[in-house]
Amino acid sequence: MMYFETKITEASIECLKELYSADVSPDSINIQKTKKEFTGDFTLPVFPFVKLSRKSPEQTAEEIGKALKEKLDFIESYNIIKGFLNLSLSHQIWIDFLHKGVQNPDYGNTSATSANQPILIEFSSPNTNKPLHLGHVRNNLLGDAVSRIIEANGNKVVRVNLVNDRGIHICKSMLAHQKFGKDETPQSTGMKGDKLVGKYYVAFDKQYKTEIEELINQGKSKEDAEKQAPILLEAQQMLRLWEEGDKDIRKLWQNMNQWVYEGFEQTYNNLGITFDRVYYESETYLLGKEIVKEGLAKKVFYQHPDGSIRVDLKEEGLDEKILLRSDGTSVYITQDLGTAVLRAKEYHPQQMIYVVGNEQNYHFDVLKRILYDKLSYDWAKRIYHLSYGMVELPSGKMKSREGTVVDADDLMDEMIRIAKQKTKELGKNDFNDEELNGLARMIGIGALKYFMLKVDPKKNMLFNPEESIDLNGNTAPFIQYTHARICSLLRKAGVNTLELPTHHIDVIPEADKEILSMLYEYPATLKQAASELNPSLLANFAYELVKAYNRFYQDTPVLKETNENLRHFRLQLSAFTASVLRKAMNLLGIDLPEKM
RNA sequence: GCCCCUAUAGUUCAACGGAUAGAACGAAAGUUUCCUAAACUUUAAAUCCAAGUUCGAUUCUUGGUGGGGGUACCA
């Protein structure tokens, strides 16, 4: 793949040296795509160089344009508007680009460099006390898409999941099941395991609130009531018993977690998500505790008079942080310390990415500081928190305990149902049942994934359950439909587009050219998506490409084009478009149908 | 209180410091003897406020205002 921008930049530096004896850094050469309303392919704003030339922007642009045209044979012409130098490339180089691109199955990808250490990426990281909701969906889709994007950029990826399978939150579900559960199981109730366990988490919270209220009525302060509610004390006792290895508690814990895993498995399958390595907090928290003790021995941590172990990060601009409770049980960050050390040892990754919501920004600051500054692990500087925004409802934040969540399974089912209904409404009858179900799935899940991934990860996003996710406009089905139309076109053409001869066409029409130049942008878009860990760039790219193609399709004949060279050119252009769409969307985990 | 993030059409989202801020939904009006109308075309509609840096600021800096998050012996 040739990068015209690079060549133009290099040539521009030479020109500036020859014309004005000036040494200019590549940074000040800002080659951009020419805007649609002007003639040209690439544009160089020359304002930064008028100081060197001591001439007007127009004159400066003229001099640079003339010199560039002489230097670069692929520049056919140029024009100047104000201080903008617009360069047009030759038709032939664009035709060559199409020819090479359409035949290159790896177009846009960077070939793998096997020597590199893997990039480790943690995502999903569920708690086992409740089912997955829309917030987790964003996390999973983001982690999966980022993994794919990094792979396409030539890096090895290890997808890891960290299951928070122990802790006070699970004890709450367990306790509620013991108290109110009547020995219910997924089998006896027919409920999905994670849903059943989630039910008890809510039951716990209900009882907890009742007890708090009673205590307040007895004259306790709200704060004391929250700390002294009997059911909470029981849960804390249960956690201590769990950490001591109490047989009955461990048995119940194993059973209930198993139910949850079976439920999660279904959800992951539906989302099309897999992992290479699953860590369980129950397997790493002891290592975490050891690390805390080592830190204590090395005096980088200290024991508070109340018995808890803490770290002082005031010098690092943060605060004190508790690492071990006064009763000796571990907290959230304890296991994260252990897990991080274990991972570093197992994989020696070149980078450790954590896909975790922005509500935990502070937590990751602290984690990194402890590992790097306090414990002097050099690899800890390669920890990167991919912090994404919350999914909000019109009523505000989702809260599991209060039941204001959008359940992941329900939402997927609903999306598939709507897609199926829409397909029928549109009178698409040439599908058998199996095909119809497959298509509805592709569309429904695709729409959901696209909806979540088209938004810049770091921004909060809003989901309105009243309005189901759109299937029109800037959506996956819009892109899928265009792909299906192209496939139909190619089927009818009855030729192998890859084997078509080189075309000689006099001019590339405007609409054709627009698509071509967008296809040219794909590799740079992919690179940017990888370096910014931002899948939304690919979503927006695919959308823009489809907009342009639909405009083209609307009023440009392809099969009916009588000029054979032009017809072949357009078939290849269409085939290349379909192929790039598949690539971009596949990196988002979205499949495209050949018929819809 | 302190810290971080954020602010763009009625709504949901775009825009490496570059030209006339771009889409979608919603609203209004159109397009099918022609390769799939889940499409296309047209109209109305926005940079929170105030300074600063710059040839040029939605973008960078400072101050203010609004929204979100964090600051737990929760995760």
Side-chain angles (χ1 to χ4, degrees):
Chain A
M1 189 54 230
M2 61 210 310
Y3 281 93
F4 298 131
E5 289 96 326
T6 311
K7 298 206 166 175
I8 298 172
T9 300
E10 285 165 2
S12 300
I13 292 172
E14 288 174 32
C15 291
L16 288 163
K17 193 167 179 74
E18 287 160 18
L19 288 167
Y20 313 123
S21 326
D23 285 311
V24 173
S25 84
D27 298 341
S28 58
I29 312 273
N30 182 13
I31 305 290
Q32 49 197 290
K33 207 173 150 177
T34 302
K35 288 199 147 200
K36 230 168 60 181
E37 52 267 42
F38 303 101
T39 309
D41 295 313
F42 296 98
T43 294
L44 174 65
V46 300
F47 302 105
F49 316 126
V50 298
K51 282 192 281 289
L52 307 174
S53 67
R54 297 166 191 276
K55 289 173 184 160
S56 71
E58 288 82 354
Q59 279 175 300
T60 310
E62 175 62 36
E63 288 178 355
I64 297 171
K66 188 157 179 265
L68 275 177
K69 187 170 182 301
E70 275 168 25
K71 213 174 267 295
L72 296 171
D73 55 4
F74 61 78
I75 292 182
E76 194 166 75
S77 62
Y78 62 93
N79 68 79
I80 293 148
I81 296 169
K82 293 194 270 181
F84 297 93
L85 171 61
N86 299 319
L87 304 163
S88 297
L89 307 199
S90 73
H91 297 118
Q92 198 50 50
I93 199 129
W94 280 117
I95 290 168
D96 288 349
F97 159 72
L98 174 59
H99 245 281
K100 285 181 191 140
V102 78
Q103 285 168 6
N104 176 5
D106 289 321
Y107 177 67
N109 294 356
T110 305
S111 52
T113 42
S114 55
N116 279 353
Q117 291 300 313
I119 292 177
L120 200 136
I121 171 161
E122 174 191 305
F123 60 102
S124 201
S125 309
N127 292 345
T128 56
N129 61 330
K130 58 188 179 226
L132 302 179
H133 61 63
L134 191 55
H136 299 112
V137 173
R138 188 176 196 189
N139 179 303
N140 284 301
L141 296 179
L142 199 53
D144 182 58
V146 166
S147 301
R148 291 166 189 259
I149 290 167
I150 292 174
E151 280 168 346
N153 246 276
N155 283 106
K156 223 183 300 168
V157 169
V158 181
R159 294 153 208 244
V160 311
N161 193 357
L162 170 67
V163 180
N164 292 295
D165 61 343
R166 47 134 271 127
I168 189 74
H169 51 290
I170 288 105
C171 289
K172 289 176 181 175
S173 288
M174 285 158 61
L175 186 62
H177 183 267
Q178 255 185 359
K179 283 183 172 304
F180 324 120
K182 294 171 289 192
D183 297 323
E184 278 187 355
T185 66
Q187 288 74 30
S188 75
T189 57
M191 268 177 100
K192 199 160 162 277
D194 51 334
K195 298 274 159 50
L196 184 65
V197 173
K199 188 176 109 177
Y200 289 112
Y201 188 64
V202 173
F204 173 93
D205 200 58
K206 201 177 149 205
Q207 175 65 22
Y208 179 46
K209 289 220 166 86
T210 311
E211 291 182 5
I212 290 173
E213 208 167 308
E214 279 169 16
L215 289 174
I216 291 174
N217 288 341
Q218 288 165 23
K220 303 248 187 206
S221 74
K222 185 166 177 266
E223 225 173 66
D224 286 348
E226 282 172 356
K227 281 183 183 160
Q228 294 168 11
I231 197 166
L232 179 69
L233 298 179
E234 268 190 87
Q236 285 167 345
Q237 173 61 14
M238 192 180 245
L239 180 61
R240 279 189 290 272
L241 287 173
W242 184 93
E243 292 211 10
E244 286 162 17
D246 180 279
K247 279 211 172 69
D248 289 342
I249 302 289
R250 287 290 179 130
K251 181 86 185 128
L252 176 64
W253 172 74
Q254 265 175 354
N255 280 340
M256 287 183 74
N257 271 344
Q258 196 51 44
W259 300 343
V260 172
Y261 298 148
E262 281 158 19
F264 282 173
E265 187 65 24
Q266 269 186 44
T267 309
Y268 286 141
N269 275 340
N270 248 333
L271 275 174
I273 307 261
T274 59
F275 298 96
D276 302 306
R277 172 80 160 94
V278 180
Y279 292 91
Y280 295 91
E281 186 183 324
S282 59
E283 294 168 357
T284 61
Y285 84 104
L286 287 175
L287 178 55
K289 280 184 159 186
E290 270 174 45
I291 290 164
V292 172
K293 281 174 195 153
E294 280 170 31
L296 189 62
K298 281 195 237 162
K299 300 207 186 326
V300 292
F301 305 150
Y302 70 97
Q303 188 149 30
H304 194 267
D306 66 11
S308 60
I309 296 177
R310 306 185 176 196
V311 60
D312 185 349
L313 293 166
K314 291 202 188 75
E315 272 178 35
E316 285 76 13
L318 302 173
D319 211 333
E320 270 188 354
K321 180 81 186 172
I322 195 151
L323 301 176
L324 226 45
R325 293 192 185 102
S326 46
D327 68 1
T329 58
S330 71
V331 292
Y332 179 55
I333 202 163
T334 319
Q335 60 77 26
D336 248 339
L337 291 169
T339 312
V341 169
L342 184 58
R343 278 176 194 169
K345 203 191 287 176
E346 283 183 0
Y347 292 100
H348 301 287
Q350 57 167 306
Q351 199 179 17
M352 286 165 80
I353 299 174
Y354 290 76
V355 182
V356 179
N358 61 14
E359 58 193 351
Q360 293 193 33
N361 286 354
Y362 183 75
H363 171 80
F364 278 96
D365 261 3
V366 169
L367 182 70
K368 198 167 169 174
R369 291 293 185 182
I370 293 175
L371 287 167
Y372 187 70
D373 295 316
K374 296 296 183 190
L375 297 171
S376 310
Y377 288 114
D378 190 58
W379 50 259
K381 67 181 177 216
R382 297 194 288 270
I383 288 177
Y384 180 79
H385 176 202
L386 174 48
S387 161
Y388 64 90
M390 299 287 96
V391 181
E392 288 170 349
L393 303 176
S395 55
K397 217 183 158 186
M398 284 188 271
K399 296 220 167 75
S400 301
R401 281 171 303 186
E402 290 164 24
T404 58
V405 294
V406 176
D407 180 79
D409 298 317
D410 294 349
L411 182 60
M412 284 190 277
D413 290 347
E414 176 69 359
M415 289 307 300
I416 294 170
R417 190 187 65 74
I418 294 172
K420 193 166 180 175
Q421 184 188 327
K422 182 89 185 262
T423 305
K424 284 181 175 162
E425 270 171 21
L426 288 167
K428 312 266 180 176
N429 295 322
D430 45 348
F431 297 106
N432 62 35
D433 276 0
E434 195 188 332
E435 286 169 341
L436 179 61
N437 287 332
L439 181 64
R441 219 192 117 66
M442 210 185 275
I443 294 171
I445 300 292
L448 172 61
K449 290 186 174 180
Y450 188 89
F451 177 82
M452 310 290 307
L453 290 172
K454 75 175 174 186
V455 180
D456 187 331
K458 67 172 181 286
K459 293 197 175 175
N460 287 0
M461 65 183 295
L462 187 102
F463 176 76
N464 188 347
E466 301 299 313
E467 313 161 8
S468 57
I469 292 173
D470 240 307
L471 302 184
N472 296 314
N474 185 359
T475 66
F478 178 76
I479 294 164
Q480 290 169 321
Y481 176 69
T482 301
H483 180 262
R485 282 213 298 203
I486 296 176
C487 289
S488 168
L489 197 66
L490 297 175
R491 278 194 299 271
K492 287 190 177 161
V495 293
N496 183 343
T497 32
L498 297 184
E499 289 171 5
L500 291 175
T502 317
H503 338 283
H504 297 286
I505 49 181
D506 298 330
V507 282
I508 301 175
E510 204 53 47
D512 305 48
K513 180 61 172 298
E514 191 189 341
I515 294 166
L516 204 44
S517 95
M518 291 182 89
L519 291 168
Y520 169 80
E521 295 290 311
Y522 175 69
T525 306
L526 172 53
K527 279 209 164 56
Q528 197 186 347
S531 70
E532 292 177 17
L533 306 178
N534 182 357
S536 77
L537 298 174
L538 287 169
N540 291 331
F541 168 85
Y543 177 66
E544 293 298 329
L545 178 57
V546 161
K547 288 282 287 178
Y549 187 86
N550 281 348
R551 221 173 293 136
F552 161 85
Y553 182 91
Q554 188 68 20
D555 39 35
T556 309
V558 178
L559 297 178
K560 294 192 169 62
E561 173 57 53
T562 49
N563 177 332
E564 192 184 31
N565 282 346
L566 191 52
R567 183 168 74 245
H568 287 172
F569 172 81
R570 285 180 173 156
L571 280 170
Q572 275 199 339
L573 186 64
S574 300
F576 196 22
T577 302
S579 143
V580 169
L581 284 176
R582 277 193 300 273
K583 283 166 166 296
M585 296 296 273
N586 285 344
L587 292 178
L588 306 181
I590 298 171
D591 291 321
L592 303 183
E594 296 191 2
K595 265 168 69 176
M596 77 181 265

